Amino acid sequence: MIDFQKFVKYAKPGPRYTSYPTAPEFSEEFSHEEYTNILKNQDSSRPLSLYFHLPFCRSACYFCGCNVVFTSKDDKKVRYIEYLKKEVEILSRHLDINRTVMQLHFGGGTPTFFSASQLEQIITLIRSYFPNFAHDAEISCEIDPRFLTQEQLDVLVKGGFNRISYGVQDFNEEIQKVIHRIQPYEVTKNAVDIARAAGIKSINMDLIYGFPTQSLESFKKTLDIALTLSPDRFAVFNYAHVPWMKKTMRKFDETTLPSPEEKLNILKYTISFFQSHGYKMIGMDHFAKPEDELFLAIEKGELHRNFQGYTTKGGADLVGVGLTSIGEGVGHYAQNHKEMKDYESSIDAGRLPLYKGIALSEDDKLRKAVIMELMSNFKLDIKRVQQEFSINFFEYFADAIDELREFEKQDLLSIEDDSIKVGTTGELLIRNIAMPFDAYLKQNKQRRFSKTI
Ligand SMILES: C[S@@+](CC[C@H](N)C(=O)[O-])C[C@H]1O[C@@H](n2cnc3c(N)ncnc32)[C@H](O)[C@@H]1O
Ligand code: SF4
């Protein structure tokens, strides 16, 4: 049973921990030389996970927190592909491209805002530089159903894509007007139908709760409709309202944002709705069918977290290609330029378009391991952490443990000699439970995060 009174009391704004240290800690001091040395010296037996950021969208959804370039011009896309080609060529000088590729992800923006033949060029580029894709590689694409043709889908399937994630957000027509994203049900249904017919085995659907004017009643209907399409996974995101970072969010009338109580009611209903329809909650915001890999991974305690959210494929080095993309290895994070002109001029100078990054200290690595394990599997194997990092956990983290005692008193988690176990209500507060382990939060820097509820 979930106790929502505790939930309200313990929630405060915090990072979503798709990385640790979080992106605001990345610095421009992380140099090109440092980055290329890291890439060169990576263990070649570790597989690669490739992320390609395809940033263009036609028009702005007002809620959007992604790194997007709005355009209606095709020449921008043509030009971008030329730069992707150059970037991969430069990358191939610094990275062992014969390593096994375990994962490839197209994110955006809207990857399918590129035409079928443009997508084909990008796939051909990747396949020609990286010859060793694992036979069971996870190859996925984020798709806005409003921009998907049979031709594009055929290109993706031919290119080996086996997972698709559709952005839906909310089926309510009035809310679609408010968020500036008109997407009739038929459009989404057609996208799901053609993907199934093309043999895509795993379909995810993104929904968001917390939009202006949204209510429990409206969201119930959205869930009913979404369920009829029976995707393998749902991501139900808490709307991250960060108008100080994203201008379009300022178009919302903040007085129409649902109250924390309403949002809690929506979340509570969503969880029981999916559970009663055979989905299992994975991490903070995903739901999967029992036969889905994510579901099986959580049973085995093998779920991992990275920039794309939750994944079953740990132990790979992530390399980001394209504007703003982020890469991650055992001891670093690296982010590409966010401004197109900087991105292009780096590449023109024959350099990787590195904007900033961070080389992890031993303390960072330890805290990252703790935070990611909590965020993914809702428990922590203290013994394993002690062995791996040669520390006395309770001494090293005395202050964090003190903070967690408060959560323990409320039955949100239990702290034992060799493990921390988070309870059902605590799972929803996992960001707050991870925060005591974040050394950077204690430095009192001026950082603003979205609300955890
Ligand atoms: C790059 S988009 C997905 C692909 C495509 N652009 C689309 O919108 O259909 C990634 C997802 O991030 C989620 N998202 C975007 N902005 C968000 C925000 N402010 N808070 C929570 N989730 C957000 C949406 O659910 C969206 O589907
Ligand atoms: S939600 Fe998707 S389609 Fe809408 S602006 Fe963001 S990236 Fe583009």
Side-chain angles (χ1 to χ4, degrees), residues 55-68 70 108-110 142 144 146-147 167 169 180-181 208:
F56 301 105
C57 286
R58 172 78 134 278
S59 74
C61 308
Y62 291 162
F63 62 84
C64 182
C66 306
N67 288 310
V68 182
F70 298 105
T110 299
E142 289 172 15
D144 176 340
R146 298 170 301 166
F147 295 90
Q169 329 309 347
H180 204 239
R181 181 182 177 121
I208 294 186

Side-chain angles (χ1 to χ4, degrees), residues 391-451:
I391 52 151
N392 177 315
F393 186 87
F394 287 93
E395 276 175 20
Y396 198 98
F397 288 116
D399 55 345
I401 295 294
D402 271 356
E403 283 183 57
L404 288 190
R405 293 285 174 207
E406 192 55 36
F407 289 87
E408 188 181 39
K409 270 190 217 149
Q410 299 298 327
D411 276 343
L412 292 163
L413 51 81
S414 64
I415 305 172
E416 284 147 34
D417 287 347
D418 53 8
S419 68
I420 294 175
K421 290 188 183 122
V422 179
T424 315
T425 305
E427 288 184 7
L428 302 177
L429 287 165
I430 196 67
R431 289 159 71 178
N432 302 92
I433 288 170
M435 281 157 71
F437 293 100
D438 183 337
Y440 295 90
L441 284 182
K442 298 199 167 56
Q443 294 171 1
N444 278 331
K445 291 186 190 159
Q446 292 297 310
R447 304 267 188 255
R448 288 178 80 182
F449 297 102
S450 61
K451 291 182 180 154

Side-chain angles (χ1 to χ4, degrees), residues 143-155:
I143 294 180
D144 176 340
R146 298 170 301 166
F147 295 90
L148 178 65
T149 62
Q150 183 68 51
E151 213 187 343
Q152 288 172 312
L153 191 60
D154 292 343
V155 165

Side-chain angles (χ1 to χ4, degrees), residues 164-209:
I164 276 178
S165 176
Y166 286 126
V168 174
Q169 329 309 347
D170 195 311
F171 281 108
N172 183 292
E173 288 170 14
E174 291 308 309
I175 294 171
Q176 289 188 358
K177 282 184 205 154
V178 172
I179 62 174
H180 204 239
R181 181 182 177 121
I182 306 296
Q183 182 174 324
Y185 162 77
E186 292 70 28
V187 170
T188 305
K189 182 177 182 327
N190 178 59
V192 171
D193 289 349
I194 62 174
R196 285 231 168 84
I200 297 288
K201 289 278 177 304
S202 175
I203 298 178
N204 173 75
M205 193 179 281
D206 290 344
L207 300 175
I208 294 186
Y209 72 97

Side-chain angles (χ1 to χ4, degrees), residues 230-259:
S230 191
D232 306 271
R233 290 180 192 172
F234 282 99
V236 187
F237 296 121
N238 176 356
Y239 167 51
H241 186 57
V242 287
W244 58 91
M245 286 168 69
K246 294 281 170 184
K247 264 196 197 145
T248 57
M249 293 180 185
R250 295 178 208 159
K251 292 187 185 283
F252 289 150
D253 173 358
E254 289 188 343
T255 63
T256 62
L257 287 168
S259 66

